[in-house]
Amino acid sequence: MKIIIPIKRVLDPYTQARINKQTQLVDLTNAKMAMNPFCEIAVEEALTLKESGSANETIVVSIGTDKTVDTLRTALAMGVDRAIFIKTETDLDLQPLHVAKILANIINREQADLIIMGKQAVDNDNNQTGQILSGLLDYSLGTFISKFDLSSDAKSVEVCREIDSGIETRKLNLPSIVTVDLRLNEPRYASLPNIMKARSKPLETIEIESLGIDITPRIKVISVEESGTKDRASKQISSAEEFFSELNQLGVL
Amino acid sequence: MSALILIELNGSEVSANSRAAITAASELSDSIDALVLTNDSAHSTPVASLSGINTVKMIVSPELEHPSVEVASKLVAEAMSGYKYLISGSSTFSKNILPRVGAYLDVQPISDVCEIKSNNTFVRPLYAGNIMATVESNDETMLLTVRATAFEHSPDGGSAAVENLSPSIPESNSIFVSLQESQSERPELTTAERIVSGGRGLGSKENFALIEQLADKLDAAVGASRAAVDAGFISNDYQVGQTGKVVAPKLYLAVGISGAIQHLAGMKDSQVIVVINSDPDAPMSRMADLVWQTDLFDALKDLNDYTQ
Ligand SMILES: Cc1cc2nc3c(=O)[nH]c(=O)nc-3n(C[C@H](O)[C@H](O)[C@H](O)COP(=O)(O)OP(=O)(O)OC[C@H]3O[C@@H](n4cnc5c(N)ncnc54)[C@H](O)[C@@H]3O)c2cc1C
Ligand SMILES: Nc1ncnc2c1ncn2[C@@H]1O[C@H](COP(=O)(O)O)[C@@H](O)[C@H]1O
């Protein structure tokens, strides 16, 4: 079984997003970037399947500017076999529909029957790409998964999905796309020797234009504004009595 | 320019986020229909009595008790013919189905709409809500999920016509196995007026029961940070935040929660925020209206004694 893991390079999730006054866009110039945390979990799950003998090849794919190669190398250092880099000239505002069309093209070429990806990218918080991709390919879909069990004949997979009302378990026939939630596993770190080894692993570069996919924006960003948390004038309290009298005054009890 | 609402049912009740979707739709369209996928034709009743709906379109089949996304998205895409908007409340239900409908209709969906500026311009959060973006759609058809905390919940009071659609139900390559639902007598997290939320500071599942006790006394829902859920203090459906539920109650009481941006993303629009934390520098405290800086176990004991 061949597994494809689409990964995204994003602003480090522990960094506050800021707007550049000149460009009026989120400032990524000198920002700390990282692999989307959900994609790290997807990589980990694929590696576990490879190590258990269920998968024979793991491939990461990422679409982005030159710096995206760093993120692909990180995945290779974690243990992924090879990488496909879809190169864009500038930080194109690619939308999930475009990303999904590009990924569908690569998945068809590679004939992969299991795609493991993040449930959402923590920059745009779209939570769409896996779902769209599954529709384009007509693959079965398991979103927000926190548990993944491949059947012994490797023809289906049982997944637990974290949904608003609890946990849903479904059996998906392969080929399938799963989008992973945070509690699926603990991603590993790349060890130093593996970081060295990763440099010689195969990384194929494909120019986005060569795929012939229409990436005209469907959605135009008109403006962005910072809406971080506003500090409130906090008042100190020190007893249950004060707690109740304050809340009564505020009219929230 | 008509709109179709994809209704989410909780048992036999219409979810609060579907009610928010109707309000959002009313800002975009004069003609709003509702679509229900179900195994029970009686479900038309609660939907038909929603205010603001013209026609309830029912697709009823035994296979739709726990519909697979593969089947649901095809049926919804077919039902969309003639509509300009498909709107649903933001939830794991709609986020599962809508983007796949987008694949069938070749439309880029828009998630978590918080404000409607015009018939094709919407405001939505990025970066865990630290950035709000105003975006314009160039698609002919628009697929939106809308935040239940950002729109009024349309009340009952209508009497819509009911129409049965009978499309053929496609084969599914996914099979429902089981649903493990949390049962609780407490108010529902996303619609509760008050929430008592616990974090890693509680230290254990046994101690987390103190949060539940206090919630009962305040007639509040229970919430949790990701750290509390990961540590197994409580199940995943109680998580508040960027990747959990988004809430905006009158009162949010955060106990032993530090206030990471991913947590704030889920509760920063709460009306009154109260923090119990021993760390005077916890980021949560800056957002708070009231701060009780103390050991949380002392505070919880004091609160419980006081309410005896
Ligand atoms: C991609 C991504 C998505 C995420 N999504 C979410 C999400 O949706 N929701 C979410 O909550 N988090 C989310 N997180 C995790 C988030 O970054 C934090 O790790 C998490 O919120 C921390 O939980 P906590 O505040 O309970 O724990 P901690 O940060 O460990 O804080 C514990 C707090 O308890 C206090 N405390 C400890 N003991 C006591 C005591 N005896 N008395 C009083 N106070 C005490 C401490 O001072 C501290 O402030 C996400 C992270 C990532 C990377
Ligand atoms: N530019 C990209 N390159 C590769 N994969 C991506 C890209 N953007 C999104 N994805 C994948 O889609 C998932 C969900 O992203 P989103 O739908 O944007 O929230 C991510 O976790 C990735 O697995």
Side-chain angles (χ1 to χ4, degrees):
Chain A
M1 185 170 64
K2 214 188 232 187
I3 305 178
I4 288 193
I5 317 111
I7 61 174
K8 188 174 190 193
R9 179 180 172 84
V10 298
L11 181 71
D12 180 282
Y14 298 102
T15 319
Q16 186 97 26
R18 295 274 176 229
I19 290 168
N20 179 317
K21 293 273 177 308
Q22 247 114 53
T23 60
Q24 280 300 308
L25 295 170
V26 175
D27 198 348
L28 297 178
T29 359
N30 293 311
K32 188 171 170 219
M33 304 294 283
M35 191 188 305
N36 179 36
F38 292 95
C39 299
E40 292 182 307
I41 294 168
V43 167
E44 176 64 38
E45 200 61 24
L47 293 175
T48 311
L49 285 166
K50 169 96 193 267
E51 284 157 0
S52 70
S54 306
N56 41 31
E57 195 180 19
T58 53
I59 308 165
V60 274
V61 184
S62 194
I63 308 157
T65 54
D66 275 330
K67 289 197 181 132
T68 305
V69 170
D70 297 349
T71 309
L72 288 166
R73 291 265 178 234
T74 304
L76 294 175
M78 287 171 77
V80 170
D81 298 318
R82 68 182 163 99
I84 302 175
F85 169 41
I86 317 291
K87 187 176 163 182
T88 64
E89 280 316 318
T90 51
D91 267 316
L92 296 173
D93 190 20
L94 283 181
Q95 288 141 21
L97 185 63
H98 303 133
V99 173
K101 285 179 180 176
I102 295 164
L103 293 174
N105 179 300
I106 303 296
I107 292 159
N108 280 330
R109 188 190 84 172
E110 295 285 342
Q111 293 290 307
D113 38 22
L114 179 61
I115 318 301
I116 308 182
M117 54 203 291
K119 83 160 178 180
Q120 86 194 60
V122 296
D123 49 2
N124 289 324
D125 284 335
N126 278 314
N127 194 333
Q128 295 174 345
T129 309
Q131 295 88 314
I132 299 177
L133 182 58
S134 76
L136 296 176
L137 294 168
D138 215 13
Y139 280 18
S140 60
L141 171 66
T143 44
F144 329 138
I145 69 158
S146 58
K147 205 158 171 289
F148 179 100
D149 284 310
L150 191 69
S151 66
S152 49
D153 62 3
K155 289 208 161 70
S156 68
V157 46
E158 192 167 284
V159 293
C160 291
R161 307 180 51 234
E162 288 199 355
I163 59 172
D164 288 341
S165 59
I167 296 197
E168 185 191 52
T169 306
R170 299 195 81 95
K171 182 171 157 252
L172 314 173
N173 295 328
L174 297 184
S176 191
I177 292 178
V178 295
T179 76
V180 305
D181 219 317
L182 292 168
R183 277 171 280 275
L184 181 63
N185 61 43
E186 277 285 336
R188 69 193 68 187
Y189 291 100
S191 68
L192 198 58
N194 285 341
I195 294 174
M196 304 304 286
K197 263 205 305 212
R199 292 194 186 149
S200 55
K201 285 188 177 176
L203 188 147
E204 178 191 2
T205 302
I206 299 174
E207 303 286 338
I208 194 166
E209 298 77 25
S210 74
L211 297 173
I213 292 166
D214 180 6
I215 51 168
T216 321
R218 300 300 190 86
I219 288 181
K220 191 168 125 202
V221 177
I222 310 280
S223 65
V224 287
E225 72 181 276
E226 284 179 19
S227 85
T229 48
K230 286 171 200 68
D231 287 3
R232 302 186 183 194
S234 353
K235 180 166 178 185
Q236 297 286 331
I237 53 168
S238 57
S239 71
E241 197 180 340
E242 272 182 275
F243 176 92
F244 283 103
S245 79
E246 289 289 342
L247 293 183
N248 269 322
Q249 265 176 35
L250 290 164
V252 295
L253 282 184
Chain B
M1 292 304 123
S2 50
L4 185 65
I5 311 282
L6 176 60
I7 297 284
E8 177 174 4
L9 293 163
N10 288 333
S12 55
E13 277 171 37
V14 175
S15 73
N17 66 57
S18 295
R19 292 177 184 271
I22 297 170
T23 307
S26 68
E27 295 179 28
L28 291 164
S29 169
D30 297 333
S31 161
I32 305 170
D33 291 344
L35 176 65
V36 185
L37 308 183
T38 177
N39 64 330
D40 183 353
S41 55
H43 286 155
S44 63
T45 313
V47 184
S49 56
L50 287 168
S51 164
I53 304 285
N54 286 341
T55 305
V56 181
K57 302 207 162 176
M58 299 290 295
I59 304 182
V60 184
S61 157
E63 276 127 289
L64 295 178
E65 186 179 1
H66 299 282
S68 74
V69 56
E70 298 83 352
V71 167
S73 55
K74 279 207 181 95
L75 295 174
V76 175
E78 284 169 22
M80 268 302 286
S81 111
Y83 292 97
K84 182 166 179 71
Y85 301 102
L86 175 65
I87 306 177
S88 199
S90 287
S91 67
T92 52
F93 167 82
S94 61
K95 287 187 174 176
N96 191 35
I97 298 173
L98 249 72
R100 191 158 159 141
V101 176
Y104 294 134
L105 302 180
D106 194 34
V107 168
Q108 170 58 54
I110 302 180
S111 316
D112 292 316
V113 169
C114 291
E115 195 189 330
I116 292 168
K117 293 261 192 192
S118 78
N119 62 1
N120 68 346
T121 311
F122 311 98
V123 179
R124 67 171 300 264
L126 313 176
Y127 293 91
N130 284 307
I131 305 284
M132 298 302 285
T134 302
V135 301
E136 183 186 276
S137 168
N138 297 324
D139 282 321
E140 283 301 314
T141 305
M142 287 172 230
L143 309 181
L144 314 174
T145 63
V146 304
R147 282 258 169 107
T149 49
F151 297 91
E152 298 282 327
H153 298 174
S154 183
D156 287 341
S159 53
V162 176
E163 187 187 319
N164 283 302
L165 307 181
S166 24
S168 61
I169 308 289
E171 285 256 339
S172 180
N173 38 9
S174 136
I175 299 142
F176 173 81
V177 176
S178 62
L179 177 61
Q180 192 188 322
E181 270 183 303
S182 314
Q183 299 294 342
S184 169
E185 298 294 306
R186 294 192 188 91
E188 211 265 310
L189 182 56
T190 51
T191 48
E193 293 207 333
R194 287 175 289 280
I195 296 173
V196 182
S197 207
R200 199 198 310 267
L202 268 299
S204 71
K205 189 176 174 148
E206 291 67 41
N207 292 340
F208 203 89
L210 297 169
I211 293 289
E212 292 162 0
Q213 264 173 35
L214 181 60
D216 289 342
K217 290 196 171 143
L218 299 177
D219 191 20
V222 168
S225 71
R226 175 187 167 197
V229 176
D230 285 359
F233 301 171
I234 192 158
S235 63
N236 64 286
D237 41 317
Y238 291 90
Q239 180 174 317
V240 171
Q242 181 187 19
T243 52
K245 288 181 176 150
V246 176
V247 299
K250 278 185 173 175
L251 171 64
Y252 191 85
L253 172 57
V255 185
I257 298 179
S258 62
I261 49 178
Q262 293 87 4
H263 188 80
L264 302 183
M267 47 62 68
K268 67 187 165 98
D269 295 328
S270 303
Q271 193 184 320
V272 170
I273 298 173
V274 183
V275 166
I276 299 177
N277 200 308
S278 51
D279 175 6
D281 298 322
M284 194 79 219
S285 302
R286 288 206 301 275
M287 302 239 350
D289 301 280
L290 299 177
V291 176
W292 188 351
Q293 189 208 320
T294 183
D295 186 276
L296 67 88
F297 297 105
D298 293 342
L300 290 174
K301 181 169 183 310
D302 198 7
L303 287 168
N304 275 321
D305 290 349
Y306 190 84
T307 46
Q308 286 306 322

